[in-house]
Amino acid sequence: MILFALLLGAAGWSFAEYCIHRWLGHDRRFTGNPFGKEHIAHHGKGDYFASSFKKLGVAVAAAALLIGPAVLVAGPTLGAAFVFGFVSFYGYYELLHRLEHVWEGFGAYGRWARRHHFHHHFHNPAANHGVTSPIWDHVFGTYEEPSVIAVPEKLKMRWLVDPTTGDIHEHLEGSYSLRRSRAA
Ligand SMILES: [Zn+2]
Ligand SMILES: [Zn+2]
């Protein structure tokens, strides 16, 4: 039961991740909210992230909000496990998202996660809102299969190019391309 409560908490974050990103981050009706402002800056500058201090504050506030109802519904042990699962998976999301931008990563999941997210950044911000998984994109019909991802030169990720030549690393060529601005 504890495992189930932990997994339910993780699933709860996964759903919140999709909703926050899609509606608070990208729906023009709501983007004036603090998350939306930070998120638009993240899209505009590429390697901009809101401060970890703010994120920690949000995590603590979310845990404080959730713990009461969770304990009321499921009792202290299972309620705490649910909140722990939720907050841990949120931490994992933050780590994964940061790594996608700053580190090339490895493995099938790592490659998938980066392509899924950079398709969202550079091709269609109305698609692929999930960062840790594509589940909710499939559920809500916003999933798009990335093809070659054209990265604008000024927003290129550090791990994408060879710093000596300025070209895409050979092993990433089939997955990414550089969209150079005309003036360059
Ligand atoms: Zn991002
Ligand atoms: Zn976004």
Side-chain angles (χ1 to χ4, degrees):
M1 276 310 270
I2 290 187
L3 186 66
F4 180 74
L6 281 169
L7 288 175
L8 201 65
W13 164 256
S14 166
F15 182 61
E17 169 192 302
Y18 181 89
C19 295
I20 292 168
H21 188 187
R22 176 169 178 183
W23 285 291
L24 296 185
H26 288 283
D27 189 315
R28 274 172 217 277
R29 288 170 296 176
F30 312 120
T31 43
N33 72 83
F35 173 80
K37 285 184 186 149
E38 293 283 15
H39 193 65
I40 285 162
H42 170 65
H43 271 264
K45 294 179 200 154
D47 55 359
Y48 170 82
F49 290 92
S51 76
S52 304
F53 188 68
K54 271 191 208 169
K55 288 175 176 174
L56 191 67
V58 171
V60 170
L65 273 176
L66 285 173
I67 192 76
V71 167
L72 218 61
V73 170
T77 311
L78 295 180
F82 173 84
V83 173
F84 185 76
F86 186 96
V87 173
S88 305
F89 207 55
Y90 163 72
Y92 165 69
Y93 149 80
E94 285 289 358
L95 185 68
L96 178 70
H97 183 215
R98 177 88 52 138
L99 286 177
E100 283 170 357
H101 282 268
V102 301
W103 185 54
E104 186 188 334
F106 62 89
Y109 176 72
R111 282 191 293 273
W112 169 82
R114 277 158 184 75
R115 287 173 47 72
H116 188 74
H117 186 59
F118 288 115
H119 178 85
H120 167 79
H121 265 270
F122 303 130
H123 285 266
N124 186 3
N128 296 4
H129 298 286
V131 170
T132 54
S133 90
I135 292 172
W136 302 106
D137 285 303
H138 284 294
V139 169
F140 289 103
T142 53
Y143 177 79
E144 283 182 9
E145 178 84 38
S147 57
V148 176
I149 293 170
V151 181
E153 173 127 63
K154 71 176 174 75
L155 294 176
K156 64 181 185 284
M157 299 74 86
R158 270 174 273 166
W159 50 263
L160 187 64
V161 293
D162 183 332
T164 52
T165 62
D167 293 328
I168 300 230
H169 285 297
E170 226 169 275
H171 66 280
L172 294 170
E173 267 171 6
S175 308
Y176 297 88
S177 67
L178 269 190
R179 201 159 65 213
R180 300 190 196 262
S181 59
R182 234 169 264 182

